[in-house]
Amino acid sequence: MVYGILGVGDSDVAACPTTHRNDGGPMTDRENLSRRAVLQTVAGTGLASVAGCSALESESDDVASTVEGERAAELARRFAPTLYFDRAEPWFPTDPRPYTSEQDGETVVDGFDAFDGYHDRMTDGEPPDPTVFSHVVEYEQSPLAVVQFWFYSAFDQFTTNFHWHDWEVLHVFVDTESGDPQLYVASSHSRKVPNNEFLDPDPEMVPRILSELGSHSSALSVNDARDRFTRLPEGDRFADITNSAVETIEDLAEIPVAYGLPRDEGSRLPYLVPEYEGAPLYEHERLPSVSREDLVPERLTLRSFDSLSAPPTDLPTRETGLVFQHTDRGEADPDIEYDLVPSSELEHIADFTGPQLSFEFAVPQFAEDAVAGHITTTGAPWNQPRYDNPAADISEPNHRAALAERYDAIGAPAEIRTLVASLSEAVSNDDAPENEGLTTEDTSVESVALLESDPEAVPTFAGLAVIQDVPAGDHQFTVNGAGVAPHSESVSVPEAGDGEGPTRAGVDGEVPLVARENATRLEVDPSGADSDLTDLAVEDDFAGRLYDAPLSEPDAVYVHGGGAYTTEVRDSDDAVGAFRVNPDPAADVAARIEEPRTGKASLASFLADIAEETRQTVAEQTEGADDILDDSGPVNAIRGLEQALAAVVEAAERATERAEAGDRGNADKQLQAVADRLQRVATRIDDASDALPDPLSNAARNRLEQAERRVEQAQAADKL
C-alpha cells in the first residue's frame, strides 16, 4: 500500500499547459485512463504539471466590497444556477431561518432543530422552502465582480464524514465592463480537496450544478450533457472543468485534478451510517421526525468500512432526480422552483451548531490503532474569508494566474504543496505460481484518506486522493476503504519553493490496497535491529515494489496473503538488509521480522533463502520421475537447474557464516561465488523453461533478477 506525494513544479505560467478548452479544441483523445501508467511514467520523467504552476510569489488580493440593491439582484438573477440532484438525495437547499433559536444572547441554528424540523416540514416528498442565497462583491478599482450562490442543507451524510448543516457555494467571477463571466468555482468537500472550476465559460449559458448525493459537493455542468459530469472531452463535447492535470512528458494520459462527481463517472462510493454516542443518529430522542428512510438509502450505505471482507461490487451509480431552477428563469419545466434571497438576510445568525459526530480510521500498527476525526459544522458563510474575498476559494493555480494577468485586483498564485495518492487493488497474478505472485488493477470503489496531523478526511475521485495546502514537515497518512485493509505510512513534505520539484512518498504514486479477505499483516520491529533503521520497503516477485516508506518505530503493513515478498530495510548509514517473507494465506497470524539486520550477512542470508525456496519448488517437478523419465531431456534440465540453485545456496550460506564471523575477505570471495553461480542459474533456467510450468519459469526468472541485485548490494556493502 503506497502513497505518492506530488508537489507543484517550478515552472512559470507560460509553461503551464491548458488541458481543456471551452471551444472543444485540442485535447487528449484517451478516454480510458490508466492511473498506474500515468504515475509510473511520472516517476521516470517528472511532471509537466500537477494542478497548476508554482513559481510565482504569493500576492494578496485587493479589498472587495459588497454590492447591494437592484444591481446585485440583477447579477444574481442572470447567473442563478440550475441544480441537478441525485435521485436518492434526502436534503435539498432550504432556508435555515425557521430553525433559529436564541443561545447565550445570540441567534443560532441548532443541528437537531434543523435536521428534525426539515423532515417534519417535508410534505409528500416536497422539500420545504427551496431557497438559494446570493451575495455579490466587487473588487475595488477593478471591473471584476463575483456573484456567490450559497446552498444550505440541514444535514450532510457521506463516506468521509457526516455533520450537522452543510453550506456549499458557487462563485461566478464576472467582468462588469464586458458582462462576460470569467471563471466558475464550485465548492468541493473542503479547502483540502480541489474545487471544480471552469475558466471562460460561455456567456450565454446558465450555470448548472450537479450536487453530489448526501455531501452536496458541487460539480459543474457546462456542456450539452446537462445532468452528468464530464471530466474529459468526449468527441465534440468539452469537459466540465478546466483544472490542470497530472500529466506525463509523453502525454500518455491526463487526469484533471478536481473532485468532480465520482458516482457519475462510474465509481462505486459506499456511504456510512451516521452515529452519535454509539447509536444510529436517527434513533436519537431529539429527532422524532427522522427515520432510517429519511437518510441515504440502505443500498448505498455501510455501518463501517470493516464490515465487508472485500470491496462492494453492487453499489448503484448516480441517477438524476429533482431539478431546481430559479423562479424567474422561465426555462423548461423544472421539478422545483427556488427563491433567490440575499444572504444579508441571514447575517444576523451567529453560528450553526451541533454536537460532535465522529468517524474512525484503523491504522495498521503492531497493535491496531484508530484515529478519530471530529466534525462539527461548516460554520456561517459570512464568517469565512471567501465570503468577502471569493478569490480565496480558487484552488487551481492556473485559474488564479489567469485572473491575476487580467485584473490587478487578484494576486498571483502561491506555490501549493499537494499530497496525491493513486489507489489500486493488489490481486493474484495468473502468470505466477499459486499464492506466489501478485499484480495490481484499478479499483472502482472510492476510499477515504486522512492526514493525521490535520484530521480532515478527504474522499478519493477517479481513484485519486488529493489533499491541498499540506503543511511542510512529516505526516502520517492513512487510507481506509470499504472491504479493504487499512494502510498508513509516514510522508515528508518539503517547504514550498525548495527547487526540488514534485515530491512523492511510496512507490511511483501507486497505492495497492488489499481486500480484507486476502490481507495479512507484515510486522517489522526496528528495536531488534543492530543499527538505526530508517526505511522499509516490500516487493512482490511479480508486482514489484508495493511499499516504500520511512521506518522509525514498530511498523505493520497489510500485504496480500497470495504474494511472495522481499522485505528490505535500510539504516542511517545507508546499509541494506533483505528478508524473504512468504505469508500463509490460510493462516490468521502476522508475518514478523524480529531482528531486521543490515549488511553483508543479512543480504547473503537472503540469497540463501530465496535460492533454497526456488530449489525446493523446482525439485517438486521431478518427484516420481526416477522410474519413468530418469534420463529424459526435460527431467535432466530441471535437475540441472535444481543443482545450480543448490550451489548458490551453499555459497550464500558460507558467505553468511564468514560475514557473521567478521571475515570480510572470505565473505566477499563467497559472494563472488554466488554471483558466478547465479549466471549458471540463468543458463539452466533457459534450458529448463520448456520443461517447467510457465508460472514457475516466470517466478524463477523474477527471483533471479532479485538475487542478482542483492548480491551486488552485498558485495558493495561496507557493513558486515
Side-chain angles (χ1 to χ4, degrees), residues 193-276:
V193 182
N195 290 323
N196 302 299
E197 303 179 10
F198 196 96
L199 187 66
D200 294 328
D202 183 351
E204 303 302 319
M205 186 199 72
V206 174
R208 295 191 297 270
I209 291 295
L210 308 176
S211 181
E212 184 169 41
L213 171 64
S215 79
H216 315 114
S217 174
S218 297
L220 290 168
S221 171
V222 298
N223 55 38
D224 293 338
R226 290 174 172 265
D227 67 342
R228 59 161 293 192
F229 178 76
T230 307
R231 183 176 295 273
L232 293 174
E234 299 177 357
D236 295 333
R237 181 181 300 143
F238 52 86
D240 284 326
I241 49 176
T242 55
N243 296 56
S244 56
V246 175
E247 185 179 88
T248 69
I249 297 298
E250 293 84 357
D251 198 25
L252 295 178
E254 296 175 342
I255 305 177
V257 180
Y259 182 71
L261 199 59
R263 288 182 63 243
D264 205 28
E265 301 176 71
S267 293
R268 309 294 177 182
L269 191 64
Y271 286 62
L272 296 176
V273 177
E275 294 186 359
Y276 177 57

Side-chain angles (χ1 to χ4, degrees), residues 280-416:
L281 187 60
Y282 53 82
E283 295 180 357
H284 198 281
E285 61 181 9
R286 291 189 59 187
L287 298 174
S289 301
V290 179
S291 67
R292 176 64 187 85
E293 289 69 30
D294 293 319
L295 275 62
V296 171
E298 290 187 64
R299 66 181 183 276
L300 280 161
T301 56
L302 306 169
R303 290 304 296 268
S304 65
F305 280 155
D306 60 3
S307 63
L308 300 177
S309 61
T313 58
D314 56 352
L315 297 172
T317 53
R318 180 179 177 273
E319 294 183 48
T320 299
L322 295 182
V323 178
F324 280 51
Q325 189 178 94
H326 177 38
T327 53
D328 293 342
R329 180 62 64 196
E331 298 177 2
D333 184 19
D335 299 302
I336 303 291
E337 291 187 333
Y338 66 79
D339 292 329
L340 192 57
V341 177
S343 60
S344 58
E345 297 188 14
L346 298 179
E347 291 181 7
H348 66 286
I349 299 175
D351 202 1
F352 293 79
T353 66
Q356 289 184 337
L357 304 176
S358 67
F359 53 94
E360 289 189 348
F361 281 71
V363 181
Q365 298 175 341
F366 266 36
E368 204 84 341
D369 199 359
V371 174
H374 295 282
I375 298 296
T376 53
T377 76
T378 55
W382 36 96
N383 295 331
Q384 302 174 20
R386 60 182 175 172
Y387 188 73
D388 295 322
N389 178 24
D393 219 19
I394 301 174
S395 61
E396 167 57 68
N398 287 345
H399 294 159
R400 174 177 271 275
L403 291 189
E405 185 175 351
R406 299 173 193 180
Y407 306 99
D408 292 339
I410 303 301
E415 188 168 4
I416 296 178

Side-chain angles (χ1 to χ4, degrees), residues 634 637-638 641 683-693 697:
I638 294 174
L641 174 58
T683 301
R684 293 302 190 189
I685 290 176
D686 289 339
D687 294 342
S689 60
D690 290 339
L692 293 173
S697 179

Side-chain angles (χ1 to χ4, degrees), residues 2 21 24 82 87 169 217 231 310 316 326 346 366 395 415 423 434 478 485 524 550 631 635 643 688 698 720:
V2 181
R21 288 188 2 189
T82 300
R87 182 178 179 181
V169 64
S217 174
R231 183 176 295 273
H326 177 38
L346 298 179
F366 266 36
S395 61
E415 188 168 4
L423 306 188
E434 185 176 4
T478 300
V524 179
D631 59 351
V635 170
Q643 292 167 1
N698 296 336
L720 289 172

Side-chain angles (χ1 to χ4, degrees), residues 15 18 41 91 115 125 236 288 293 321 350 360 396 458 493 505 507 558 686 719:
T18 298
T41 305
W91 304 289
F115 195 10
D236 295 333
E293 289 69 30
E360 289 189 348
E396 167 57 68
V458 301
V493 180
V507 182
Y558 276 105
D686 289 339
K719 179 182 177 181

Side-chain angles (χ1 to χ4, degrees), residues 606-607 610 648 674 678 702-712:
F606 166 81
L607 290 165
I610 195 171
V648 171
V674 171
L678 285 175
N702 292 344
R703 293 172 190 170
L704 175 62
E705 291 181 10
Q706 180 76 242
E708 289 174 336
R709 177 154 55 95
R710 300 303 176 180
V711 75
E712 290 178 2

